[in-house]
């Protein structure tokens, strides 16, 4: 079986089957990496809270520094998982004689890694804030658990990405920081994204991560010391505003 795709930069001339394979592979790879990274983050924070060792640590170093270390560590874990899975996909594609499209080049690969890095840090900071507000994974309330579905949302846009990746509403949704690490690299492979969209997406991701990093540090400082109940959403918002 030979699946060939010849997609030029700025054009969408590849076969639908090839585009589907590429789009689905990228979506699932990114979702897998995100879920793996945030799963480790969830287990790590809930375990520390159950063992009640964080109080000793935050008495020696600032809570924000402790949180920054966690974000960087679990982001590194996610990147390692991404490299392993990407190498596996390449190994599988080899026997299929899959032709790499013209939009897959060093520049786009570098941008994809950058988007992945920022996306991982954003999600890790977000999940860290959620888990610091819960007693443990088992007692996390429904509103906290619902946010864990965010990495899956771009998968529901698979049909739109294939049929109209440059549609205005797709362009708008792909700029949302929680979705851009998955959707913009996918649209880059399809040759349906402009340079200003890439730059804007990166800028929004940086701002969103920095904001979420500060929020996570504040919630972590207070939430890790709270026992007996899960934090409600209004409490989480109020604590995030406490400097």
């Amino acid at each position: 079986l030979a699946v060939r795709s010849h997609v030029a930069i700025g054009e969408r001339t590849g076969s639908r089957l090839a585009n589907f394979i590429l789009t689905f592979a990228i979506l699932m790879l990114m979702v897998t990496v995100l879920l793996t990274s945030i799963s480790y983050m969830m287990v790590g924070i809930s375990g520390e809270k159950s063992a009640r060792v964080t109080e000793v640590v935050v008495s020696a170093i600032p809570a924000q520094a402790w949180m920054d270390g966690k974000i960087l560590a679990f982001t590194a874990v996610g990147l390692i998982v991404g490299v392993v899975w990407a190498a596996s996909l390449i190994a599988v594609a080899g026997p299929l004689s899959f032709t790499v499209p013209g939009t897959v080049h060093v520049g786009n690969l570098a941008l994809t890694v950058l988007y992945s890095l920022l996306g991982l840090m954003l999600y890790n900071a977000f999940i860290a804030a959620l888990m610091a507000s819960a007693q443990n994974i088992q007692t996390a309330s429904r509103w906290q658990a619902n946010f864990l579905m965010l990495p899956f949302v771009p998968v529901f846009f698979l049909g739109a990405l294939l049929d109209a990746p440059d549609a205005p509403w797709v362009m708008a949704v792909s700029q949302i920081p929680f979705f851009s690490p998955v959707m913009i690299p996918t649209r880059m492979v399809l040759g349906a994204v402009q340079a200003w969209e890439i730059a804007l997406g990166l800028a929004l991701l940086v701002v969103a991560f920095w904001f979420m990093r500060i929020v996570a540090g504040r919630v972590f400082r207070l939430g890790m010391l709270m026992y007996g109940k899960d934090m409600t959403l209004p409490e989480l918002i109020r604590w995030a505003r406490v400097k």
Side-chain angles (χ1 to χ4, degrees):
L1 173 63
V3 181
R4 298 186 178 276
S5 173
H6 302 282
V7 184
I9 298 175
E11 300 177 1
R12 291 186 284 117
T13 58
S15 68
R16 182 175 177 82
L17 178 58
N19 286 343
F20 172 80
I21 293 174
L22 279 171
T23 303
F24 185 76
I26 293 173
L27 286 175
M28 295 311 299
L29 175 62
M30 297 296 292
V31 169
T32 300
V33 170
L34 287 173
L35 288 177
T36 301
S37 183
I38 65 179
S39 296
Y40 280 116
M41 175 70 82
M42 291 170 60
V43 173
I45 290 184
S46 62
E48 290 174 358
K49 193 163 188 178
S50 299
R52 308 192 69 167
V53 298
T54 309
E55 296 93 329
V56 178
V57 177
V58 296
S59 66
I61 62 174
Q64 187 64 62
W66 181 243
M67 176 55 60
D68 291 343
K70 285 187 173 296
I71 293 173
L72 291 176
F74 288 108
T75 296
V77 171
L79 288 177
I80 293 173
V81 171
V83 170
V84 172
W85 277 94
S88 301
L89 289 175
I90 293 174
V92 171
L96 296 177
S97 300
F98 190 84
T99 302
V100 177
T103 48
V104 179
H105 51 77
V106 175
N108 279 356
L109 289 176
L111 287 171
T112 299
V113 171
L114 183 57
Y115 265 100
S116 301
L117 177 65
L118 291 171
L120 280 169
M121 291 193 296
L122 173 63
Y123 268 97
N124 281 325
F126 180 67
I127 294 301
L130 288 181
M131 291 312 301
S133 67
Q135 291 301 295
N136 50 58
I137 297 178
Q138 289 73 30
T139 64
S141 61
R142 179 171 296 180
W143 73 265
Q144 291 162 319
N146 287 340
F147 284 112
L148 300 181
M149 297 299 296
L150 278 175
F152 289 101
V153 173
V155 178
F156 296 105
F157 298 129
L158 176 60
L161 287 171
L162 289 173
D163 296 331
D166 50 2
W169 74 268
V170 175
M171 295 169 61
V173 171
S174 64
Q175 292 297 330
I176 299 174
F178 283 107
F179 305 150
S180 61
V182 178
M183 295 187 66
I184 289 185
T186 302
R187 293 177 60 220
M188 283 195 294
V189 170
L190 295 174
V193 65
Q194 302 180 45
W196 67 266
E197 293 181 75
I198 298 174
L200 177 60
L202 286 173
L204 292 175
L205 256 180
V206 170
V207 172
F209 159 67
W210 194 260
F211 171 78
M212 191 57 63
R213 165 188 169 269
I214 300 299
V215 169
R218 293 175 180 175
V219 174
F220 184 80
R221 181 185 62 194
L222 300 172
M224 292 301 289
L225 303 178
M226 184 181 74
Y227 296 93
K229 65 180 290 289
D230 288 341
M231 193 185 306
T232 64
L233 184 57
E235 288 175 333
L236 178 63
I237 296 174
R238 185 172 66 252
W239 285 17
R241 298 171 61 183
V242 176
K243 296 183 179 180

